[in-house]
Amino acid sequence: MTKELPMPENISKSARVVTVAAGVENTERAAPVRDGRHEALAVLIGKWINEGRTIEITETPSVPILTSDVYEWAPGGFFVVHSAFGKIGETSVGGVEIIGVDGEEYSSTFYDGFGNVHVSRLQIEGDEIRWIGDRTRCTATMTDDGMTQVARHESSADGVSWSPSMDVTLRKVA
């Protein structure tokens, strides 16, 4: 049984809920605080319609891409939840991604509709957002005052040599 320490007078009951939920009520660790790193993720928030094409490679023709993305804040504003669905060629695709601050960096975990899990580092520098994984990566350049993302995706069989895999333009609709 854990001994409950007396709550200091200056901590409200709601603040106590936060410390209990974070598992830091009786520790020296501070509860997370939302800051500018979280605010930098706001550029993604919204509903996007995406059009593009895969890159043709030997014996594999280019196919059209038509998808949609919804990026929204998870409760509390510490994480972004991204739902994706659509078509690449005739194949239905989709999944859900969770993006958050991880120490001094961002992390992204995408669970696709085929049962795969993709873990990436996320970097935000000026108008560029980069997802960097072991076998896939994407650089998106924000234009039109944040209303358009021009995204270039790459893939790698070995994590060393990279090839373009698809080019997609995302347009914010809401």
Side-chain angles (χ1 to χ4, degrees), residues 129-151:
I129 305 169
R130 288 182 294 280
W131 285 259
I132 304 165
D134 291 336
R135 299 284 189 257
T136 60
R137 63 187 183 190
C138 172
T139 299
T141 303
M142 303 297 291
T143 63
D144 301 327
D145 293 322
M147 297 301 289
T148 303
Q149 296 180 47
V150 178

Side-chain angles (χ1 to χ4, degrees), residues 56-169:
E56 182 176 345
I57 57 173
T58 308
E59 299 180 26
T60 305
S62 173
V63 296
I65 298 169
L66 181 58
T67 59
S68 69
D69 293 315
V70 176
Y71 289 87
E72 57 192 342
W73 291 110
F78 285 93
F79 301 95
V80 172
V81 178
H82 164 212
S83 300
F85 57 94
K87 291 247 188 184
I88 298 178
E90 295 300 315
T91 304
S92 294
V93 295
V96 65
E97 175 185 26
I98 306 295
I99 301 170
V101 174
D102 185 10
E104 294 303 314
E105 298 185 341
Y106 297 98
S107 65
S108 159
T109 304
F110 185 80
Y111 304 90
D112 73 24
F114 302 109
N116 301 301
V117 179
H118 308 269
V119 177
S120 302
R121 286 186 335 275
L122 185 71
Q123 298 175 337
I124 302 173
E125 293 179 15
D127 290 336
E128 277 196 356
I129 305 169
R130 288 182 294 280
W131 285 259
I132 304 165
D134 291 336
R135 299 284 189 257
T136 60
R137 63 187 183 190
C138 172
T139 299
T141 303
M142 303 297 291
T143 63
D144 301 327
D145 293 322
M147 297 301 289
T148 303
Q149 296 180 47
V150 178
R152 180 167 188 92
H153 294 259
E154 298 175 291
S155 62
S156 174
D158 60 10
V160 176
S161 301
W162 293 88
S163 301
S165 59
M166 57 184 164
D167 290 326
V168 183
T169 300

Side-chain angles (χ1 to χ4, degrees), residues 1-2 17 25 33 39 41 53 75 82 93 99 126 141 143 145 166 168 171:
M1 178 184 222
T2 304
V17 169
E25 181 181 32
V33 175
E39 286 302 317
L41 294 169
R53 296 195 70 80
H82 164 212
V93 295
I99 301 170
T141 303
T143 63
D145 293 322
M166 57 184 164
V168 183
R171 290 186 174 78

